[in-house]
Amino acid sequence: MKKIVLFVLFIPFLSYSQNWKSSFDDAKNQALAENKNIVLVFSGSDWCAPCIKLDKTVWQSAEFKKESENNWIIYKADFPKKKANQLNPDLTESNKKLAAQYNSSGYFPLVLLLDKSGTVLGVEGYKNISAAEYIQLIHSFEKK
């Protein structure tokens, strides 16, 4: 009986697991294969207060998890500063190249919607709005 209860309690977490890609090349390949746009997020996960707020309010929300699963390929280019949070050197270098291409001004957080070929459709930063409103904002870039 306990196993059944634990399984039933765990089911909602399975349905809202997030699928951030581990490499931007994987994200681009999947976007091409599935004909989806890419949400590219530049974040300083351990030092940027607006990045942390955006993560808690939007990226971790059930609404965004569901919406991204159905509509977008998602990739987070993270730039942590604390030694304990450093990424592997290859990923760090890859994120630096992405920043040179899409975030040369070094804004954090920076959220871009890219089409499947990597063309920028829209750019936004932190906004103190709900997850649902942020999702609508991202969708508004698709309509331009």
Side-chain angles (χ1 to χ4, degrees):
M1 181 66 173
K2 286 182 183 179
K3 289 180 183 179
I4 294 172
V5 171
L6 287 174
F7 181 73
V8 170
L9 291 174
F10 188 65
I11 289 174
F13 295 108
L14 291 174
S15 65
Y16 288 115
S17 64
Q18 215 156 359
N19 198 15
W20 293 96
K21 294 294 146 202
S22 57
S23 86
F24 190 68
D25 287 336
D26 289 348
K28 285 193 321 189
N29 290 336
Q30 186 175 352
L32 283 168
E34 296 181 15
N35 195 30
K36 290 183 177 180
N37 291 328
I38 301 168
V39 175
L40 171 59
V41 178
F42 288 92
S43 179
S45 64
D46 65 2
W47 59 270
C48 169
C51 299
I52 295 166
K53 288 179 186 176
L54 192 61
D55 184 62
K56 288 181 181 176
T57 305
V58 178
W59 311 142
Q60 291 183 28
S61 72
E63 296 101 328
F64 182 78
K65 290 174 184 181
K66 183 178 179 183
E67 196 70 21
S68 65
E69 184 70 28
N70 293 327
N71 294 292
W72 305 306
I73 307 302
I74 53 177
Y75 181 79
K76 192 178 293 182
D78 193 18
F79 292 83
K81 288 188 177 178
K82 294 179 182 174
K83 198 173 207 172
N85 299 331
Q86 292 301 301
L87 307 174
N88 76 53
D90 292 337
L91 188 53
T92 298
E93 190 59 34
S94 174
N95 286 349
K96 285 181 182 177
K97 288 178 184 175
L98 277 176
Q101 181 176 1
Y102 292 109
N103 189 8
S104 59
S105 298
Y107 293 123
F108 290 90
L110 187 68
V111 179
L112 296 95
L113 183 68
L114 309 174
D115 70 11
K116 61 186 176 187
S117 66
T119 302
V120 177
L121 301 174
V123 180
E124 192 55 70
Y126 173 76
K127 287 207 176 278
N128 190 18
I129 57 178
S130 71
E133 291 169 308
Y134 211 95
I135 290 165
Q136 289 307 314
L137 179 65
I138 295 171
H139 276 302
S140 74
F141 300 144
E142 296 170 332
K143 298 171 184 164
K144 293 183 179 179

